Amino acid sequence: MSAARPTRTRKDSAAPRSAKRTATANRNASTASPAGRGAAGHRTDQLEAMLRIRRFEERCVELYSAAKIRGFVHLYIGEEAVAVGVNEVLTPEDAVVSTYREHGHALARGITAEAVMAEMYGRTTGCSGGRGGSMHLFDASRRFYGGNAIVAGGLPLAAGLALADRMREQSRVTCCFFGDGAFAEGEFHETANLAALWKLPLLLVCENNLYAMGTALERHEAQTDLAMRAASYGMVAWAVDGMDVEAVEHAARRAVEGIRAGTGPHFLELRTYRFRAHSMYDPDRYREKGEIEQWKSRDPISLLMDRMRENGELGDKELARIEQRITDEIDHAVEAAEQAPEEPVEHLLRHVTSSSAEAVS
């Protein structure tokens, strides 16, 4: 598929807000497994990665309710297939730019639960030194550049990273996650235009969960086929079932291979859904309960588990072992965070102001 030929996605017959809308042709495509890993083992890894995100977020709900963590917290429950499927095809040399709903992206990228939880607590052992909190996870060693609280704010940063790699003739991809609400911001359109014009090695991943905070997609966008709109900039673009981790990985692999081949930016509209409210502060009165339950029937974790059980790849004992490993990991992360030090008051201006070259260093 040529980057010069924009692609249109077929409009599904169901209403835009129906869970059935996510069914796409990607479902029946095979997913390549990493070298040396059988398909069953690879699906087990995917399941564990998604469960780690789900259990981490569920623990965050408990800790927030107990006032152990504070501030704005945006949960990733329901969207786990997106983070896991996309990160499977990225290398350590690639870069990831994320949004304020980034816990899942960070964990899938390989940032430890301990480092993320410590950041949630605002402790110095957090991945951002305790200064970022839930919305500003950052780890340069993983080439994970936020956590950006501004809607669409990560897009220009991602374009800059991709441009730098292109100018240095480095075979790296920058992946930028953002929500459907970003389409209402100029940053998306400026980034898409320049990325296509300059053929940047940029993977644009739109997590279309149908709501920009509390505003339904059809109430803020005249054209709700986001992949078609992205294709109008002259880049390869298509929609994917964002609740199916194998479909996500297949599409992401196809896109990354195209980018590495020099065909320019690719766009994925991953049709997904968040099961929780926009944030822990949000009363979530803008969605019908029936709609939420309909989407929960396509829980990405349950979908993969059912597929594995049908194939004879997952038994109760193996699932229990996976769950126990994750429980122990998160328990340790919470314990470590609660014992970690807070930044002393005398460090308040560190990384903010400097009075000498020595202070900068």
Side-chain angles (χ1 to χ4, degrees), residues 152-180:
L155 282 154
L157 301 178
L161 289 165
L163 177 61
D165 286 338
R166 182 177 178 276
M167 294 176 70
R168 293 169 179 165
E169 298 183 347
Q170 293 178 316
S171 180
R172 301 197 294 197
V173 172
T174 295
C175 172
C176 184
F177 293 95
F178 54 95
D180 51 283

Side-chain angles (χ1 to χ4, degrees), residues 20-338:
K20 185 178 177 182
R21 171 178 178 268
T22 62
T24 71
N26 297 83
R27 174 63 184 86
N28 59 15
S30 62
T31 303
S33 298
R37 292 287 292 164
H42 184 55
R43 278 190 282 269
T44 299
D45 291 343
Q46 290 177 320
L47 176 62
E48 183 164 352
M50 288 197 293
L51 280 170
R52 177 176 293 103
I53 296 170
R54 177 70 58 89
R55 302 297 177 244
F56 184 93
E57 297 291 65
E58 290 171 346
R59 184 65 66 87
C60 286
V61 173
E62 297 174 8
L63 295 169
Y64 186 91
S65 300
K68 294 290 187 69
I69 58 178
R70 301 172 184 271
F72 284 96
V73 176
H74 305 82
L75 300 172
Y76 202 65
I77 295 174
E79 301 184 26
E80 294 89 351
V82 174
V84 172
V86 172
N87 274 281
E88 286 281 0
V89 306
L90 300 176
T91 71
E93 289 73 35
D94 296 329
V96 174
V97 180
S98 184
T99 69
Y100 48 73
R101 196 183 308 279
E102 87 278 33
H103 307 162
H105 303 150
L107 292 171
R109 183 62 178 167
I111 301 176
T112 65
E114 182 176 342
V116 177
M117 187 62 76
E119 191 60 39
M120 301 289 288
Y121 270 75
R123 302 303 170 89
T124 57
T125 53
C127 58
S128 299
R131 291 189 168 223
S134 172
M135 294 194 289
H136 298 282
L137 304 178
F138 185 95
D139 189 338
S141 68
R142 301 277 183 179
R143 300 205 77 211
F144 187 84
Y145 301 113
N148 295 278
I150 298 174
V151 174
L155 282 154
L157 301 178
L161 289 165
L163 177 61
D165 286 338
R166 182 177 178 276
M167 294 176 70
R168 293 169 179 165
E169 298 183 347
Q170 293 178 316
S171 180
R172 301 197 294 197
V173 172
T174 295
C175 172
C176 184
F177 293 95
F178 54 95
D180 51 283
F183 268 77
E185 302 293 331
E187 289 93 333
F188 168 76
H189 301 281
E190 293 166 352
T191 298
N193 178 61
L194 289 177
L197 180 65
W198 295 337
K199 293 191 178 299
L200 299 183
L202 181 62
L203 176 60
L204 297 170
V205 178
C206 177
E207 296 181 302
N208 181 7
N209 60 27
L210 303 182
Y211 289 91
M213 295 184 68
T215 304
L217 178 65
E218 62 266 27
R219 294 179 65 89
H220 70 84
E221 294 296 330
Q223 172 55 263
T224 59
D225 190 333
L226 304 183
M228 183 180 70
R229 293 182 63 190
S232 70
Y233 284 99
M235 68 179 73
V236 179
W238 68 97
V240 184
D241 182 353
M243 306 303 272
D244 185 335
V245 67
E246 292 188 287
V248 171
E249 180 178 349
H250 173 80
R253 191 177 304 281
R254 172 184 166 195
V256 167
E257 287 174 353
I259 295 169
R260 294 197 199 282
T263 59
H266 283 51
F267 175 97
L268 298 179
E269 178 193 347
L270 300 185
R271 294 173 176 176
T272 184
Y273 198 81
R274 51 176 168 80
F275 296 166
R276 303 281 302 201
H278 170 70
S279 73
M280 290 296 293
Y281 280 106
D282 180 9
D284 201 10
R285 295 174 180 169
Y286 46 84
R287 304 188 295 184
E288 298 291 337
K289 290 183 179 180
E291 177 186 303
I292 299 173
E293 292 306 312
Q294 184 183 15
W295 278 91
K296 283 185 176 181
S297 71
R298 300 201 70 250
D299 185 317
I301 295 175
S302 297
L303 286 178
L304 182 60
M305 288 175 60
D306 291 345
R307 193 175 301 159
M308 294 175 68
R309 289 186 186 279
E310 290 173 4
N311 295 338
E313 299 168 352
L314 180 67
D316 292 340
K317 290 184 178 179
E318 175 62 17
L319 179 59
R321 283 193 290 268
I322 293 172
E323 290 276 19
Q324 189 59 56
R325 279 200 301 271
I326 293 171
T327 297
D328 293 343
E329 181 181 342
I330 296 175
D331 284 346
H332 172 74
V334 173
E335 181 180 358
E338 292 186 345

